[in-house]
Amino acid sequence: MQPYPIWGYHPQSRSVSLTSAARPTLAPDEVLVQNRVIGINPVDWKFIQANPLHWQQNHVPGVDGAGVIIALGSEVDPQWLGRRVAYHGALKRQGSFAECTPVKVSRLMTLPERLSFEKAAALPCPMLTAWQAFEKIPHRPCLTVLLTGFGAVNHLLAQLLIKAGFTVDVLSTSLKEDKAATLNIRHVYRQLSQITMNYFAIFDAVSGQHAAALVPLLKANGHIICIQDRIPKPIDPPFTRTISYHEIALGALHDFGDSRDWEALMHQGEMLLEQVAMGSLVGSAPVIFEFSQLPEALKHSERTKQKTLVSLNRN
């Protein structure tokens, strides 16, 4: 079989370069996705730079992609062949920075027909992360929550919370007032010192240290949700405000989630993709690079924090 192009990892230089690989042998429960568009996420360039998993030469990075299934493992229902899908892959496995990617069939989301590959590829990591964060707190309409940082995850999370009846404030230096108004965000703070009220829940997308500094802004029995990093130990003494501490790590589900966890998450993901297709849930506007420009796309994502995609230009 013909080899196909990949962006292979180089451990010594901690970079990727364009090369080729043989078509992989699929496990019985896997499919081969021919990627149409690849999603770039901060986890991609962070792991390329740090290599915490000790990737070997020509490991394929990348967690998000959208494309068409072109081959099936021996135990996969033939009806999957040709299906349009999106996926969030495991960092330990061969990833999306390639023309083709092997993915477990249980970890695929089928795309609505009217949803483009561009919109779909921008969503798996931020959308599923936003959903996990959304599920961490009791849903009590009319309560007020704070989001800190306003990247792709909190852009989607704000919409989920507002639809559920929460009042949402945001602490961000980048969110524009007109955009906030469009999303029905009540108030945008530019500095932490401007905040004078207490919140039922705070969703922090900055760092564990930043999240820890926000805990005093919580009401009794409040919730702090760390989307980046975690708070290693409680801030308050025991039996005082009884704050609940939460951490989000979508990738951890690949190691610790069971089949029911993945079935539930993919079902919810498909429902959210349907909302995006209908226009009732809106993702961040992406910047799109060509496949040959993938290193530039990684640099753009790191420099600007904008949602970034890579297109393989297939009809």
Side-chain angles (χ1 to χ4, degrees):
M1 296 181 181
Q2 289 288 333
Y4 61 90
I6 67 168
W7 282 95
Y9 186 66
H10 298 283
Q12 290 186 333
S13 61
R14 299 194 176 183
S15 63
V16 293
S17 67
L18 190 59
T19 183
S20 61
R23 184 162 164 171
T25 300
L26 297 176
D29 63 343
E30 289 183 334
V31 304
L32 190 64
V33 178
Q34 186 177 63
N35 294 310
R36 300 296 178 85
V37 183
I38 298 162
I40 303 290
N41 295 287
V43 69
D44 297 321
W45 45 263
K46 289 178 180 179
F47 271 63
I48 287 172
Q49 293 172 8
N51 196 16
L53 295 179
H54 306 291
W55 289 336
Q56 300 302 303
Q57 184 74 19
N58 284 336
H59 173 85
V60 180
V63 292
D64 280 0
V68 177
I69 297 174
I70 60 170
L72 309 175
S74 60
E75 296 178 359
V76 178
D77 190 324
Q79 293 186 14
W80 280 94
L81 194 63
R83 192 172 296 185
R84 301 167 70 250
V85 295
Y87 61 89
H88 175 80
L91 286 159
K92 295 179 180 178
R93 295 168 55 83
Q94 297 290 70
S96 61
F97 290 4
E99 183 180 87
C100 298
T101 301
V103 185
K104 289 181 178 292
V105 70
S106 60
R107 301 178 186 184
L108 294 170
M109 295 174 287
T110 300
L111 302 186
E113 283 301 321
R114 56 190 175 279
L115 186 65
S116 69
F117 288 118
E118 288 78 12
K119 286 187 176 181
L123 290 169
C125 186
M127 179 184 72
L128 298 176
T129 299
W131 176 256
Q132 287 187 329
F134 175 73
E135 280 200 309
K136 287 291 186 182
I137 65 172
H139 292 171
R140 298 173 184 168
C142 301
L143 292 176
T144 305
V145 301
L146 176 71
L147 277 58
T148 65
F150 207 75
V153 173
N154 274 353
H155 181 266
L156 292 162
L157 177 57
Q159 296 172 73
L160 296 177
L161 290 164
I162 289 167
K163 284 184 179 183
F166 290 96
T167 298
V168 174
D169 292 345
V170 172
L171 172 62
S172 169
T173 58
S174 62
L175 177 60
K176 296 181 179 179
E177 295 287 350
D178 57 346
K179 178 67 174 179
T182 300
L183 294 172
N184 291 318
I185 290 168
R186 184 183 69 169
H187 188 76
V188 180
Y189 299 102
R190 302 304 180 188
Q191 296 180 356
L192 181 59
S193 60
Q194 296 175 327
I195 303 176
T196 58
M197 65 174 292
N198 293 103
Y199 290 91
F200 170 67
I202 299 175
F203 298 83
D204 181 76
V206 180
S207 69
Q209 183 178 4
H210 191 264
L214 299 169
V215 171
L217 295 175
L218 288 167
K219 297 166 68 72
N221 299 309
H223 300 261
I224 183 76
I225 302 92
C226 296
I227 297 170
Q228 294 281 355
D229 200 11
R230 66 197 296 264
I231 299 174
K233 61 182 182 179
I235 306 301
D236 291 342
F239 311 115
T240 54
R241 292 189 304 144
T242 60
I243 300 302
S244 295
Y245 293 77
H246 307 273
E247 58 186 272
I248 308 298
L250 176 60
L253 203 63
H254 289 283
D255 292 328
F256 299 101
D258 60 24
S259 59
R260 289 187 176 181
D261 294 329
W262 277 99
E263 182 180 3
L265 185 64
M266 295 299 92
H267 175 70
Q268 185 59 51
E270 289 182 344
M271 292 177 64
L272 293 172
L273 289 174
E274 184 65 36
Q275 292 182 36
V276 175
M278 295 173 60
S280 59
L281 183 66
V282 180
S284 302
V287 177
I288 303 176
F289 289 76
E290 300 299 323
F291 186 67
S292 61
Q293 300 174 306
L294 191 142
E296 288 79 8
L298 288 166
K299 292 177 183 177
H300 178 270
S301 173
E302 180 178 8
R303 184 180 69 254
T304 68
K305 306 301 187 289
Q306 287 181 284
K307 190 60 196 177
T308 307
L309 304 178
V310 172
S311 172
L312 282 86
N313 283 325
R314 291 186 174 274
N315 295 324

